[in-house]
Amino acid sequence: MENEEVKYKVLARKYRSSNFDELIGQDVLVKTLTNAINTNRLAHAYIFTGIRGVGKTSTARIFAKSLNCLGADGKATGPQVKPCGVCENCRAIAEDRHIDVIEMDAASNTGVDDIREIIDGVQYKPSSARYKVYIIDEVHMLSKNAFNALLKTLEEPPPYVIFIFATTEIRKVPATVLSRCQRFDLRRVDIETLSNHFKHVCELENVKIDDDSINIIAKTADGSVRDGMSFLDQVISNCEGDITVDKVSKILGLASKGIVFDLYDAIINADIQKAVEIIDNQYDLGVDPVLILTDLLEITHYITRVKITPASLSSIPVPPSEQEKISKMAHDLSIATLSRIWQMLLKGFDELSLVPNVLSAVEMIIIRLSYVGMMPSPAEILNKIENQTSTEVQKKNI
């Protein structure tokens, strides 16, 4: 019989955390859970919340393995902080086939009947594990009746049952459920941590990529490890040879930062023709106009920070050449002008949902922004009025 062709496993799954040491960017969570295991102070229900792709479900699976690990020799008598990964329980949980670790997606199992199945199963002791673990992903999607049906069991479950909930919308989970759980808020992973992680993955995959490209991917991920790994997978699949900033920007539909700074410079100097040409050229290259507005908003924030606190320039995650541009703009622009640009950009985002043609809307926003460069600030207008009044008074006195 011929061997079946091995299917490619995407990076997000291939390098998914399998133990607490591999879980990146969640040090507080890891410390708390490992201390709970070490001191045998285990709660009967946990809820993990955070944006998509920061490790909620991965943490739940790791925790389930820790609770039920038998050790490499099969003789472990209690939960293990570092699951061995080779015992039958660890392997079965990792492969989603352990009969005592039940995962349910609440997005597709929202009704009370689905919860009743869990309530019925809670009555029976685990078959081969220490704990029967119920992992319910996107728990906020459960119906009101489903939550109500779960409450009593959640408050007083048998000692061998542990519930682990995961959600991106903690505000939609009833307070009566939250009060019965230990809550953990998983943080967005910072750019530096993501960059180091992606760099390590590229080394393991024998992929040549420069640091600036890694930083762009990490920044685009917006704190999500899974999103970043998906972007990295997309870039690797579409690039031949070494990966560069230009290639990454093109694949992800991003404008290069140098171009965005040129656009910003055209806006503040009221060079409307150049500003519109830059937008049109970037659109022709496949760049999403909305992402350009996002970059302009970000640059405005950077300039304002440096205007208020010059020492913060070194902490801004851009190359030195762009830091120089930010420093110059911070010196030249007033807080009033920066505030107007910020408000107009925010207003522009609101307008995007009202128009059928996004490019046209972005061009109109850029044109309005360019006129800001022509407008005097309120302070300048006031000074001009005061000077005119003073001059007129002097003339009358003469």
Side-chain angles (χ1 to χ4, degrees):
M1 183 177 178
E2 295 183 3
N3 292 331
E4 293 184 3
E5 184 179 351
V6 178
K7 292 184 178 180
Y8 174 72
K9 183 179 286 189
V10 296
L11 297 181
R13 293 185 60 194
K14 185 176 181 180
Y15 295 101
R16 189 171 194 166
S17 304
S18 59
N19 55 59
F20 286 124
D21 291 338
E22 295 176 0
L23 195 64
I24 67 170
Q26 308 299 341
D27 296 341
V28 174
L29 169 67
V30 170
K31 185 176 180 180
T32 305
L33 290 181
T34 53
N35 284 344
I37 295 170
N38 281 328
T39 59
N40 198 30
R41 297 178 65 87
L42 298 172
H44 60 266
Y46 297 84
I47 187 163
F48 301 146
T49 179
I51 65 165
R52 79 258 170 246
V54 291
K56 298 183 296 296
T57 308
S58 294
T59 302
R61 291 176 179 173
I62 294 168
F63 194 32
K65 284 196 290 185
S66 294
L67 293 172
N68 293 307
C69 178
L70 300 173
D73 57 2
K75 297 180 180 179
T77 58
Q80 305 293 300
V81 170
K82 295 185 178 182
C84 66
V86 296
C87 70
E88 177 55 30
N89 281 350
C90 283
R91 286 189 286 110
I93 293 170
E95 296 168 7
D96 298 332
R97 57 179 176 82
H98 200 295
I99 193 171
D100 295 320
V101 178
I102 301 95
E103 286 194 41
M104 187 183 93
D105 178 18
S108 52
N109 299 276
T110 62
V112 68
D113 290 338
D114 301 303
I115 294 301
R116 285 197 181 115
E117 289 183 16
I118 293 177
I119 295 172
D120 292 341
V122 163
Q123 302 173 25
Y124 303 100
K125 291 185 177 181
S127 301
S128 59
R130 295 188 195 93
Y131 294 93
K132 181 173 281 191
V133 181
Y134 290 91
I135 300 172
I136 304 181
D137 198 13
E138 299 299 343
V139 69
H140 67 274
M141 298 290 287
L142 290 178
S143 66
K144 182 179 179 180
N145 289 337
F147 274 124
N148 289 336
L150 186 61
L151 284 179
K152 185 61 179 177
T153 302
L154 189 60
E155 185 172 19
E156 297 179 357
Y160 50 80
V161 171
I162 290 180
F163 289 96
I164 305 176
F165 303 136
T167 178
T168 53
E169 299 283 352
I170 193 69
R171 290 173 294 180
K172 295 182 180 179
V173 180
T176 49
V177 173
L178 291 177
S179 66
R180 290 165 168 81
C181 304
Q182 279 195 12
R183 171 177 168 175
F184 292 90
D185 290 74
L186 280 72
R187 302 172 55 188
R188 292 178 185 267
V189 183
D190 63 83
I191 293 176
E192 183 179 358
T193 302
L194 283 175
S195 295
N196 291 334
H197 179 61
F198 298 155
K199 195 178 299 183
H200 178 62
V201 169
C202 288
E203 290 172 356
L204 295 176
E205 293 289 314
N206 294 318
V207 172
K208 292 183 179 180
I209 183 170
D210 58 57
D211 289 345
D212 288 341
S213 298
I214 286 284
N215 288 336
I216 288 175
I217 295 172
K219 192 172 181 182
T220 307
D222 193 26
S224 170
V225 181
R226 185 176 63 233
D227 284 5
M229 293 291 274
S230 298
F231 292 145
L232 182 60
D233 221 341
Q234 182 180 353
V235 167
I236 294 173
S237 299
N238 286 278
C239 281
E240 295 181 2
D242 295 353
I243 299 172
T244 62
V245 170
D246 289 340
K247 290 180 181 179
V248 171
S249 298
K250 185 175 181 180
I251 292 169
L252 298 183
L254 305 173
S256 70
K257 271 293 183 286
I259 294 295
V260 178
F261 273 102
D262 289 343
L263 175 60
Y264 208 97
D265 192 58
I267 289 171
I268 61 179
N269 287 300
D271 191 343
I272 299 175
Q273 183 175 346
K274 181 180 179 182
V276 173
E277 285 177 356
I278 291 174
I279 289 290
D280 291 343
N281 289 337
Q282 290 301 297
Y283 183 77
D284 291 340
L285 292 172
V287 176
D288 185 350
V290 178
L291 294 181
I292 296 178
L293 290 186
T294 303
D295 286 339
L296 292 175
L297 202 63
E298 182 179 62
I299 291 174
T300 304
H301 173 236
Y302 289 158
I303 296 170
T304 307
R305 274 184 59 190
V306 174
K307 182 76 175 180
I308 296 171
T309 312
S312 66
L313 180 64
S314 59
S315 64
I316 292 177
V318 296
S321 60
E322 293 173 4
Q323 287 184 354
E324 291 179 8
K325 294 178 181 178
I326 289 173
S327 179
K328 183 180 184 303
M329 289 178 179
H331 179 269
D332 295 340
L333 298 175
S334 66
I335 291 293
T337 299
L338 290 168
S339 297
R340 285 206 302 272
I341 292 174
W342 177 267
Q343 292 297 330
M344 291 176 71
L345 283 169
L346 291 180
K347 178 64 175 176
F349 276 105
D350 290 338
E351 295 175 1
L352 291 177
S353 60
L354 304 175
V355 294
N357 189 321
V358 174
L359 177 61
S360 299
V362 171
E363 285 185 352
M364 291 300 295
I365 293 167
I366 295 301
I367 291 169
R368 289 207 306 267
L369 284 171
S370 298
Y371 274 98
V372 172
M374 301 178 181
M375 295 168 56
S377 68
E380 291 171 340
I381 295 173
L382 185 60
N383 287 334
K384 187 175 181 179
I385 293 172
E386 289 177 346
N387 290 336
Q388 287 179 346
T389 303
S390 176
T391 302
E392 290 173 0
V393 169
Q394 289 177 0
K395 287 180 178 179
K396 288 182 180 179
N397 292 334
I398 293 173

